[in-house]
Structures are given as C-alpha cells and as structure tokens.
Amino acid sequence: MLIGKVSGSLWATRKNEKLNGLKFLLVDIEEKNQYRQTLVAADNAGAGFGDLVLVTTGSSARIALDGADIPVDATIVGIIDSVEQTK
Amino acid sequence: MLIGKVSGSLWATRKNEKLNGLKFLLVDIEEKNQYRQTLVAADNAGAGFGDLVLVTTGSSARIALDGADIPVDATIVGIIDSVEQTK
Amino acid sequence: MLIGKVSGSLWATRKNEKLNGLKFLLVDIEEKNQYRQTLVAADNAGAGFGDLVLVTTGSSARIALDGADIPVDATIVGIIDSVEQTK
Amino acid sequence: MLIGKVSGSLWATRKNEKLNGLKFLLVDIEEKNQYRQTLVAADNAGAGFGDLVLVTTGSSARIALDGADIPVDATIVGIIDSVEQTK
Amino acid sequence: MLIGKVSGSLWATRKNEKLNGLKFLLVDIEEKNQYRQTLVAADNAGAGFGDLVLVTTGSSARIALDGADIPVDATIVGIIDSVEQTK
C-alpha cells in the first residue's frame, strides 16, 4: 500500500455508470519527503482534505469496495493516525 | 486512477480482433504539472481531443468495458469537469 | 496500452514449456521522444523489426493470447499505422 | 519480489474492516544502494524494525494472507537471513 | 517480460510456507545499458549466476509455477541464449 495525503477532489458528470455514488479524491503519494505523483482514489474510509491515508492499488482496490465489477485501480482503505519511522 | 489529457488517437488495421470497434486515444498522464508518459487507453466515456480524463488501469480496464476477454490495460472511465486541489 | 517500436528479438531454448511456439520481440517503449525501457512482448499481431506497435500488459497480455495459462505479462496486440497527436 | 528494510509502522483506527488484525509495516525498497520508495506492507512473516524482508506485490499479496478478500497490495512473505550478490 | 542478469541469491529461513522448495534469485533488470533495479524472482528455468534471463511479472509469475496459490510476483521463465537488437 502507499501512503499519501489527500490534496483535492474531482468532479466528473460523464463517467462509467458503475462509478456512480463513489467519492474520488486526489492523493499525493509521497516518495521520501518529495511528492511524486497524484493518484485518484475511491474513498472507502471517509477521508477528507489533508488526511494522511493508506491507498491500496490494483485488483485489491475493487475488493476494498466489495464490488467485483467497479472499475477502480486505487482505493483509500484507511486514515493514518500516526506513522513511526526510523530514518 | 490517473488524470490525463487526451492528446491524440491512433489507427491500427492489423490488431487483435477482440479490439475491433474500440476507440483508442492517446492520453498524456500528468505528474505534478510535468507530463510524464503517453498511455493508449480505450475510450469508455466519449472523450475527445483536449479533454481531461480519468483513466483506470490494469484488470479494471477490462471490467470498465464489460468485456472480460478484451485485452486492454487502460480505459477512460470519466471526463473530468473540474479538479479542486490544494497545492 | 503502450506504444513502442520493435527493436529486436531473442532466442531462448531453455524456457517454460507453455511459452513454446510463441515469438518474443524486444519493444522499446517510448516516453515523450525519449526511449525509456525495453520490454519483451509476445507477438500476437505479426509484427516485424521497426514496426510501431501497441502493447498490452499485465493479465490482459494472457487474454490477448487466448491462453489463460501462458505466463506472459506483455503482448503486442496491434501494429500501428498512424498516430495523430497534438503536442 | 522486492527486497526492503523495515523502517517503521503505522497506526490507523479508521480503516477497511477487512484489514483488522493485520500488522502494517513501512518497508524501504532498495534500488541499488539508494532507497527509492517506502511501501506499506502487511506482515506475514513476523518481521520487526530493521529486518531485511522479501515483499510480494499485487494479487499475490492477498494470496500470501490466505484471504482472497483482504484488500492489500504488498505483503512481507519472508525475513532475509543473507543475500549473496556479485556486483 | 523483462530481461535481466542473475546477480545473486538469497536465504530466508522464516518465510511463507507456500514458498518452501523454491529457489529465489536476484535479477538485475537492465534499462538501456544502465542497471535499474534488482528484483527477486522465483526460478522456473534452472538459471545460474550470470545468466541472462527472461522474467515474467504479476499474476503470470504464479501461472509460470503451476501454483495458483504461491505468492510470488516475478518468475524466471527462460534463459536467454542470444538477443538480436538494432539500436
């Protein structure tokens, strides 16, 4: 999984109908204190702007949503309270 | 999912027959205001040149097309109306 | 999918028997007019040296070969006649 | 699989319920003596801080946990005793 | 698939039991005459130190081992005799 910070949201009225009802958030994935890439992730954890989140990717993103036919490849599965890391 | 901008299209007469009838668009994936890579994505949202789109990758690209046996690995699943992002 | 140029081929006599009979081509994946990486892809489109090709990756590479148990992760699914791209 | 060093852990009280009971560790993936990225991996091997570990990614991360519906994309599957490498 | 050179091996006594009996080799993946990353791959082709090998990744790595429940994400599926490449 990847750690990222929620930096925004997006609005798309014309989209695959299986995506209806999902909230999509922009997540900046961190790479050693240097932001690398912004992913769009479905929110499965009630995340908000500025939250540090845990993102799962690939086929597990669908499994997180309990929907085998929802075409997502990244889902927020947790909101991180704290990280303990030795540098 | 990734955010990208539709920058072109491609023409391939000799191709896997399961790809017949699909429209393939070139999508420039953005990485922090610096374009990184051009992907080719099947269009599932009626996108056109210049549109900002949402692209799903991997096995979810097939699921978006409702075709378990269509060999694509990237599909446009939405056209983005607006992005709200805090920098 | 990725766009690449066929730059070579490889020969491997000792290999997984499920790969027998397949042709493997080296494909230089382009990244914004700068070559990035050489992939080895199974050929499903009759490609030859110098051809610009469409490569599908991941589980879709197997689906392109109609062989659920062929252990490939990249397959050429089309030969590109032309690309129209606005820069 | 990737080789990495366990550099920390994280705490997330609000998370997908299928992740309950799992231990998540931060793993610095090494790229030629230069650390590249920190992944979060579920621990399937009893790893601790500073351990050199073997991480499997993608759908195999779920298989390692014997749980087809656990939405993880990286799992520690072994603790490395020694690496023998010719440079 | 990726081309790489076998550069070493690793020893892990504490590991997922489904990995027992497999040989794990370190493979340096080449990126245009510049080594990029060391992967750990299960050996399905009888490879040895210094061999140039073909590595399949993702779910195909499991399929190469005929074991749907073996949690690997990279497997050596061939030993390359020769590569013919036009630069």
Side-chain angles (χ1 to χ4, degrees), chain E residues 11-30:
Chain E
W11 192 258
T13 46
R14 289 172 288 168
K15 60 176 179 293
N16 188 297
E17 60 179 15
K18 289 179 270 192
L19 300 178
N20 287 338
L22 288 173
K23 183 170 69 170
F24 291 102
L25 295 176
L26 276 66
V27 181
D28 288 346
I29 303 300
E30 221 169 328

PDB file of all heavy atoms in Angstrom, chain E residues 11-30:
ATOM      1  N   TRP E  11      18.771 -16.088   1.065  1.00  0.00           N
ATOM      2  CA  TRP E  11      18.462 -17.135   2.020  1.00  0.00           C
ATOM      3  C   TRP E  11      17.471 -16.574   3.027  1.00  0.00           C
ATOM      4  O   TRP E  11      17.702 -15.525   3.611  1.00  0.00           O
ATOM      5  CB  TRP E  11      19.753 -17.570   2.726  1.00  0.00           C
ATOM      6  CG  TRP E  11      19.620 -18.811   3.525  1.00  0.00           C
ATOM      7  CD1 TRP E  11      19.489 -18.895   4.871  1.00  0.00           C
ATOM      8  CD2 TRP E  11      19.632 -20.149   3.027  1.00  0.00           C
ATOM      9  NE1 TRP E  11      19.411 -20.211   5.246  1.00  0.00           N
ATOM     10  CE2 TRP E  11      19.490 -21.008   4.142  1.00  0.00           C
ATOM     11  CE3 TRP E  11      19.727 -20.711   1.754  1.00  0.00           C
ATOM     12  CZ2 TRP E  11      19.447 -22.397   3.996  1.00  0.00           C
ATOM     13  CZ3 TRP E  11      19.699 -22.087   1.623  1.00  0.00           C
ATOM     14  CH2 TRP E  11      19.555 -22.915   2.743  1.00  0.00           C
ATOM     15  N   ALA E  12      16.341 -17.279   3.170  1.00  0.00           N
ATOM     16  CA  ALA E  12      15.335 -16.839   4.138  1.00  0.00           C
ATOM     17  C   ALA E  12      14.740 -18.063   4.794  1.00  0.00           C
ATOM     18  O   ALA E  12      14.018 -18.826   4.153  1.00  0.00           O
ATOM     19  CB  ALA E  12      14.244 -16.024   3.438  1.00  0.00           C
ATOM     20  N   THR E  13      15.052 -18.277   6.057  1.00  0.00           N
ATOM     21  CA  THR E  13      14.509 -19.456   6.726  1.00  0.00           C
ATOM     22  C   THR E  13      13.079 -19.214   7.209  1.00  0.00           C
ATOM     23  O   THR E  13      12.244 -20.108   7.147  1.00  0.00           O
ATOM     24  CB  THR E  13      15.398 -19.884   7.913  1.00  0.00           C
ATOM     25  OG1 THR E  13      15.723 -18.722   8.670  1.00  0.00           O
ATOM     26  CG2 THR E  13      16.672 -20.536   7.430  1.00  0.00           C
ATOM     27  N   ARG E  14      12.806 -17.990   7.664  1.00  0.00           N
ATOM     28  CA  ARG E  14      11.445 -17.675   8.102  1.00  0.00           C
ATOM     29  C   ARG E  14      10.704 -17.087   6.918  1.00  0.00           C
ATOM     30  O   ARG E  14      10.940 -15.947   6.522  1.00  0.00           O
ATOM     31  CB  ARG E  14      11.478 -16.665   9.258  1.00  0.00           C
ATOM     32  CG  ARG E  14      11.993 -17.238  10.559  1.00  0.00           C
ATOM     33  CD  ARG E  14      12.180 -16.134  11.586  1.00  0.00           C
ATOM     34  NE  ARG E  14      13.331 -15.312  11.239  1.00  0.00           N
ATOM     35  CZ  ARG E  14      13.622 -14.142  11.814  1.00  0.00           C
ATOM     36  NH1 ARG E  14      12.815 -13.643  12.747  1.00  0.00           N
ATOM     37  NH2 ARG E  14      14.703 -13.462  11.455  1.00  0.00           N
ATOM     38  N   LYS E  15       9.815 -17.858   6.326  1.00  0.00           N
ATOM     39  CA  LYS E  15       9.081 -17.336   5.162  1.00  0.00           C
ATOM     40  C   LYS E  15       7.734 -18.024   5.060  1.00  0.00           C
ATOM     41  O   LYS E  15       7.460 -19.034   5.720  1.00  0.00           O
ATOM     42  CB  LYS E  15       9.890 -17.524   3.892  1.00  0.00           C
ATOM     43  CG  LYS E  15      10.245 -18.950   3.529  1.00  0.00           C
ATOM     44  CD  LYS E  15      10.975 -18.959   2.184  1.00  0.00           C
ATOM     45  CE  LYS E  15      11.378 -20.373   1.801  1.00  0.00           C
ATOM     46  NZ  LYS E  15      12.400 -20.941   2.679  1.00  0.00           N
ATOM     47  N   ASN E  16       6.880 -17.478   4.229  1.00  0.00           N
ATOM     48  CA  ASN E  16       5.586 -18.076   3.934  1.00  0.00           C
ATOM     49  C   ASN E  16       5.805 -19.524   3.499  1.00  0.00           C
ATOM     50  O   ASN E  16       6.609 -19.800   2.616  1.00  0.00           O
ATOM     51  CB  ASN E  16       4.937 -17.254   2.809  1.00  0.00           C
ATOM     52  CG  ASN E  16       3.509 -17.655   2.547  1.00  0.00           C
ATOM     53  OD1 ASN E  16       3.255 -18.789   2.146  1.00  0.00           O
ATOM     54  ND2 ASN E  16       2.567 -16.742   2.762  1.00  0.00           N
ATOM     55  N   GLU E  17       5.062 -20.456   4.123  1.00  0.00           N
ATOM     56  CA  GLU E  17       5.341 -21.872   3.861  1.00  0.00           C
ATOM     57  C   GLU E  17       5.080 -22.278   2.403  1.00  0.00           C
ATOM     58  O   GLU E  17       5.646 -23.258   1.927  1.00  0.00           O
ATOM     59  CB  GLU E  17       4.528 -22.756   4.809  1.00  0.00           C
ATOM     60  CG  GLU E  17       3.044 -22.596   4.691  1.00  0.00           C
ATOM     61  CD  GLU E  17       2.290 -23.515   5.652  1.00  0.00           C
ATOM     62  OE1 GLU E  17       2.930 -24.052   6.589  1.00  0.00           O
ATOM     63  OE2 GLU E  17       1.082 -23.694   5.467  1.00  0.00           O
ATOM     64  N   LYS E  18       4.246 -21.509   1.696  1.00  0.00           N
ATOM     65  CA  LYS E  18       3.998 -21.846   0.290  1.00  0.00           C
ATOM     66  C   LYS E  18       5.205 -21.544  -0.595  1.00  0.00           C
ATOM     67  O   LYS E  18       5.231 -21.920  -1.756  1.00  0.00           O
ATOM     68  CB  LYS E  18       2.758 -21.099  -0.215  1.00  0.00           C
ATOM     69  CG  LYS E  18       1.472 -21.649   0.408  1.00  0.00           C
ATOM     70  CD  LYS E  18       0.242 -20.905  -0.057  1.00  0.00           C
ATOM     71  CE  LYS E  18      -0.080 -19.739   0.850  1.00  0.00           C
ATOM     72  NZ  LYS E  18      -1.404 -19.141   0.622  1.00  0.00           N
ATOM     73  N   LEU E  19       6.195 -20.884  -0.022  1.00  0.00           N
ATOM     74  CA  LEU E  19       7.416 -20.588  -0.783  1.00  0.00           C
ATOM     75  C   LEU E  19       8.493 -21.650  -0.577  1.00  0.00           C
ATOM     76  O   LEU E  19       9.540 -21.604  -1.224  1.00  0.00           O
ATOM     77  CB  LEU E  19       7.966 -19.217  -0.377  1.00  0.00           C
ATOM     78  CG  LEU E  19       7.043 -18.022  -0.593  1.00  0.00           C
ATOM     79  CD1 LEU E  19       7.695 -16.745  -0.104  1.00  0.00           C
ATOM     80  CD2 LEU E  19       6.676 -17.878  -2.071  1.00  0.00           C
ATOM     81  N   ASN E  20       8.210 -22.624   0.297  1.00  0.00           N
ATOM     82  CA  ASN E  20       9.210 -23.662   0.545  1.00  0.00           C
ATOM     83  C   ASN E  20       9.543 -24.431  -0.730  1.00  0.00           C
ATOM     84  O   ASN E  20       8.674 -24.752  -1.523  1.00  0.00           O
ATOM     85  CB  ASN E  20       8.693 -24.644   1.602  1.00  0.00           C
ATOM     86  CG  ASN E  20       8.701 -24.038   2.991  1.00  0.00           C
ATOM     87  OD1 ASN E  20       9.438 -23.095   3.249  1.00  0.00           O
ATOM     88  ND2 ASN E  20       7.870 -24.579   3.881  1.00  0.00           N
ATOM     89  N   GLY E  21      10.816 -24.711  -0.909  1.00  0.00           N
ATOM     90  CA  GLY E  21      11.247 -25.501  -2.055  1.00  0.00           C
ATOM     91  C   GLY E  21      11.556 -24.688  -3.291  1.00  0.00           C
ATOM     92  O   GLY E  21      12.095 -25.209  -4.258  1.00  0.00           O
ATOM     93  N   LEU E  22      11.205 -23.425  -3.261  1.00  0.00           N
ATOM     94  CA  LEU E  22      11.504 -22.571  -4.415  1.00  0.00           C
ATOM     95  C   LEU E  22      12.908 -21.982  -4.268  1.00  0.00           C
ATOM     96  O   LEU E  22      13.367 -21.725  -3.165  1.00  0.00           O
ATOM     97  CB  LEU E  22      10.498 -21.418  -4.513  1.00  0.00           C
ATOM     98  CG  LEU E  22       9.089 -21.785  -4.959  1.00  0.00           C
ATOM     99  CD1 LEU E  22       8.184 -20.574  -4.845  1.00  0.00           C
ATOM    100  CD2 LEU E  22       9.092 -22.301  -6.393  1.00  0.00           C
ATOM    101  N   LYS E  23      13.556 -21.772  -5.416  1.00  0.00           N
ATOM    102  CA  LYS E  23      14.841 -21.078  -5.408  1.00  0.00           C
ATOM    103  C   LYS E  23      14.595 -19.630  -5.808  1.00  0.00           C
ATOM    104  O   LYS E  23      13.904 -19.361  -6.791  1.00  0.00           O
ATOM    105  CB  LYS E  23      15.801 -21.749  -6.402  1.00  0.00           C
ATOM    106  CG  LYS E  23      17.205 -21.140  -6.404  1.00  0.00           C
ATOM    107  CD  LYS E  23      18.211 -21.954  -7.219  1.00  0.00           C
ATOM    108  CE  LYS E  23      17.930 -21.883  -8.699  1.00  0.00           C
ATOM    109  NZ  LYS E  23      18.999 -22.447  -9.537  1.00  0.00           N
ATOM    110  N   PHE E  24      15.118 -18.700  -5.027  1.00  0.00           N
ATOM    111  CA  PHE E  24      14.933 -17.275  -5.309  1.00  0.00           C
ATOM    112  C   PHE E  24      16.251 -16.668  -5.743  1.00  0.00           C
ATOM    113  O   PHE E  24      17.266 -16.786  -5.051  1.00  0.00           O
ATOM    114  CB  PHE E  24      14.402 -16.548  -4.074  1.00  0.00           C
ATOM    115  CG  PHE E  24      12.995 -16.942  -3.753  1.00  0.00           C
ATOM    116  CD1 PHE E  24      12.710 -17.840  -2.731  1.00  0.00           C
ATOM    117  CD2 PHE E  24      11.950 -16.460  -4.519  1.00  0.00           C
ATOM    118  CE1 PHE E  24      11.412 -18.229  -2.469  1.00  0.00           C
ATOM    119  CE2 PHE E  24      10.649 -16.844  -4.257  1.00  0.00           C
ATOM    120  CZ  PHE E  24      10.382 -17.730  -3.232  1.00  0.00           C
ATOM    121  N   LEU E  25      16.238 -16.039  -6.878  1.00  0.00           N
ATOM    122  CA  LEU E  25      17.446 -15.425  -7.421  1.00  0.00           C
ATOM    123  C   LEU E  25      17.274 -13.914  -7.523  1.00  0.00           C
ATOM    124  O   LEU E  25      16.166 -13.420  -7.757  1.00  0.00           O
ATOM    125  CB  LEU E  25      17.752 -16.008  -8.800  1.00  0.00           C
ATOM    126  CG  LEU E  25      18.107 -17.507  -8.809  1.00  0.00           C
ATOM    127  CD1 LEU E  25      18.290 -18.001 -10.238  1.00  0.00           C
ATOM    128  CD2 LEU E  25      19.377 -17.766  -8.003  1.00  0.00           C
ATOM    129  N   LEU E  26      18.377 -13.218  -7.369  1.00  0.00           N
ATOM    130  CA  LEU E  26      18.380 -11.768  -7.592  1.00  0.00           C
ATOM    131  C   LEU E  26      18.643 -11.522  -9.071  1.00  0.00           C
ATOM    132  O   LEU E  26      19.558 -12.110  -9.656  1.00  0.00           O
ATOM    133  CB  LEU E  26      19.476 -11.097  -6.764  1.00  0.00           C
ATOM    134  CG  LEU E  26      19.108 -10.786  -5.309  1.00  0.00           C
ATOM    135  CD1 LEU E  26      18.885 -12.035  -4.501  1.00  0.00           C
ATOM    136  CD2 LEU E  26      20.177  -9.924  -4.664  1.00  0.00           C
ATOM    137  N   VAL E  27      17.847 -10.684  -9.656  1.00  0.00           N
ATOM    138  CA  VAL E  27      17.969 -10.401 -11.083  1.00  0.00           C
ATOM    139  C   VAL E  27      18.071  -8.885 -11.260  1.00  0.00           C
ATOM    140  O   VAL E  27      17.200  -8.139 -10.821  1.00  0.00           O
ATOM    141  CB  VAL E  27      16.745 -10.940 -11.857  1.00  0.00           C
ATOM    142  CG1 VAL E  27      16.895 -10.649 -13.347  1.00  0.00           C
ATOM    143  CG2 VAL E  27      16.563 -12.436 -11.627  1.00  0.00           C
ATOM    144  N   ASP E  28      19.159  -8.464 -11.902  1.00  0.00           N
ATOM    145  CA  ASP E  28      19.311  -7.036 -12.212  1.00  0.00           C
ATOM    146  C   ASP E  28      18.609  -6.751 -13.533  1.00  0.00           C
ATOM    147  O   ASP E  28      19.004  -7.274 -14.578  1.00  0.00           O
ATOM    148  CB  ASP E  28      20.795  -6.659 -12.333  1.00  0.00           C
ATOM    149  CG  ASP E  28      21.495  -6.641 -10.990  1.00  0.00           C
ATOM    150  OD1 ASP E  28      20.806  -6.646  -9.954  1.00  0.00           O
ATOM    151  OD2 ASP E  28      22.733  -6.640 -10.978  1.00  0.00           O
ATOM    152  N   ILE E  29      17.571  -5.958 -13.465  1.00  0.00           N
ATOM    153  CA  ILE E  29      16.812  -5.610 -14.671  1.00  0.00           C
ATOM    154  C   ILE E  29      17.543  -4.479 -15.376  1.00  0.00           C
ATOM    155  O   ILE E  29      17.882  -3.456 -14.769  1.00  0.00           O
ATOM    156  CB  ILE E  29      15.388  -5.169 -14.307  1.00  0.00           C
ATOM    157  CG1 ILE E  29      14.682  -6.271 -13.509  1.00  0.00           C
ATOM    158  CG2 ILE E  29      14.600  -4.816 -15.562  1.00  0.00           C
ATOM    159  CD1 ILE E  29      14.544  -7.593 -14.207  1.00  0.00           C
ATOM    160  N   GLU E  30      17.771  -4.686 -16.645  1.00  0.00           N
ATOM    161  CA  GLU E  30      18.547  -3.738 -17.428  1.00  0.00           C
ATOM    162  C   GLU E  30      17.627  -2.668 -17.993  1.00  0.00           C
ATOM    163  O   GLU E  30      16.534  -2.948 -18.431  1.00  0.00           O
ATOM    164  CB  GLU E  30      19.181  -4.483 -18.595  1.00  0.00           C
ATOM    165  CG  GLU E  30      20.599  -4.090 -18.877  1.00  0.00           C
ATOM    166  CD  GLU E  30      21.201  -5.076 -19.875  1.00  0.00           C
ATOM    167  OE1 GLU E  30      20.810  -6.261 -19.860  1.00  0.00           O
ATOM    168  OE2 GLU E  30      22.030  -4.639 -20.653  1.00  0.00           O
TER     169      GLU E  30
END
